[in-house]
Amino acid sequence: MTGISDINIEQSWKEHLQPLLEEAYMHELRKKVRVLYQDSTKHIYPQPQHLFNAFDTCPFTDVRVVILGQDPYHGAGQAHGLCFSVPEGKSMPPSLQNIFKEIQSDIGTAVPAHGDLTRWAKQGVFLLNAILTVEAGKPASHHGIGWEEFTDDVITLLSGSREHVVFMLWGNYAKQKQGLIDGDKHCILTAAHPSPFSAENGFFGCKHFSKANEYLKQHNKGSVDW
């Protein structure tokens, strides 16, 4: 992770992120992340090749919806660079189960057999974690190393450069990002986090998925097959 040239990142993102990646904080962040991955005493998730998976699978020019998570799953084999998503074959975490329950209640789509959200990403759903790495078994362990500054800049970039994007902000952490988004240009949907600890307090019944599709259709952006 020495520079943008050695990251296999989708071309439209590469073009828009180039100035950010030359910022001093990003040079420091790259050094920190490289050391973390090289430390044989630690297991860091996701695997390096999946670090920018959210960007690779959802080009900048295709982004229609942004769902913001906090940091990757910290269990073995769960994180693959898309927030809330797990690879096919991995058991579905409780928050993701609740997301699918809300989708089923909201628009009638059956709960799928696996939790890989790649098909959403390929439809323009940008599944961004605010923190892109985590140490095994230690949630939020990479809070404060520099990822938040980068992803805040990414959100600001999307808000300023695009129009009529739906931002789904679930839970207090995500809601804090609302100030980065131009509410006159975009649709901002907020709710409780889908975690079992909070889903009953406003995530269930939020109808974000039908609301997102309604907004996208109003602005001639089609709809997402949730």
Side-chain angles (χ1 to χ4, degrees):
M1 193 177 167
T2 55
I4 192 64
S5 61
D6 63 351
I7 298 172
N8 182 23
I9 196 167
E10 190 276 331
Q11 184 62 34
S12 65
W13 276 111
K14 183 183 290 187
E15 293 169 359
H16 284 88
L17 291 175
Q18 185 67 54
L20 295 182
L21 291 159
E22 296 306 322
E23 295 280 346
Y25 81 85
M26 278 303 296
H27 288 288
E28 290 302 311
L29 177 58
R30 285 198 290 270
K31 291 177 186 177
K32 292 175 185 176
V33 173
R34 186 165 57 246
V35 168
L36 288 167
Y37 274 117
Q38 290 174 345
D39 186 344
S40 61
T41 68
K42 294 182 171 67
H43 294 290
I44 306 301
Y45 302 132
Q47 294 296 315
Q49 66 269 27
H50 293 143
L51 188 56
F52 292 98
N53 197 17
F55 300 83
D56 293 337
T57 52
C58 183
F60 181 88
T61 48
D62 291 352
V63 174
R64 298 188 288 165
V65 178
V66 177
I67 298 179
L68 185 67
Q70 186 165 349
D71 66 338
Y73 294 124
H74 53 87
Q78 290 182 304
H80 66 143
L82 305 176
C83 74
F84 292 106
S85 178
V86 290
E88 194 166 350
K90 286 289 176 181
S91 60
M92 213 179 287
S95 290
L96 184 55
Q97 291 179 35
N98 286 340
I99 289 170
F100 284 129
K101 286 179 185 176
E102 173 58 22
I103 292 172
Q104 186 175 39
S105 171
D106 184 12
I107 58 178
T109 302
V111 175
H114 63 82
D116 188 342
L117 303 181
T118 300
R119 69 179 189 86
W120 288 6
K122 290 182 176 179
Q123 295 180 75
V125 181
F126 186 44
L127 297 165
L128 179 67
N129 275 314
I131 303 165
L132 298 189
T133 55
V134 70
E135 185 177 345
K138 297 182 178 180
S141 49
H142 292 171
H143 168 71
I145 71 169
W147 282 127
E148 293 100 328
E149 189 171 355
F150 170 63
T151 53
D152 280 0
D153 283 346
V154 169
I155 294 167
T156 302
L157 172 67
L158 278 167
S159 175
S161 303
R162 300 293 309 281
E163 290 186 343
H164 308 312
V165 173
V166 179
F167 289 83
M168 295 184 182
L169 308 179
W170 300 332
N172 291 333
Y173 183 87
K175 290 175 186 176
Q176 291 172 8
K177 308 297 183 178
Q178 190 166 346
L180 303 173
I181 305 162
D182 185 344
D184 293 329
K185 292 173 58 180
H186 305 286
C187 175
I188 304 172
L189 301 175
T190 62
H193 195 277
S195 160
F197 299 106
S198 55
E200 296 283 358
N201 296 325
F203 179 76
F204 289 141
C206 70
K207 299 188 180 297
H208 279 189
F209 304 95
S210 60
K211 289 177 180 177
N213 278 349
E214 182 179 348
Y215 178 85
L216 293 172
K217 289 175 183 176
Q218 286 174 355
H219 295 281
N220 300 312
K221 288 177 169 279
S223 62
V224 176
D225 178 10
W226 299 106

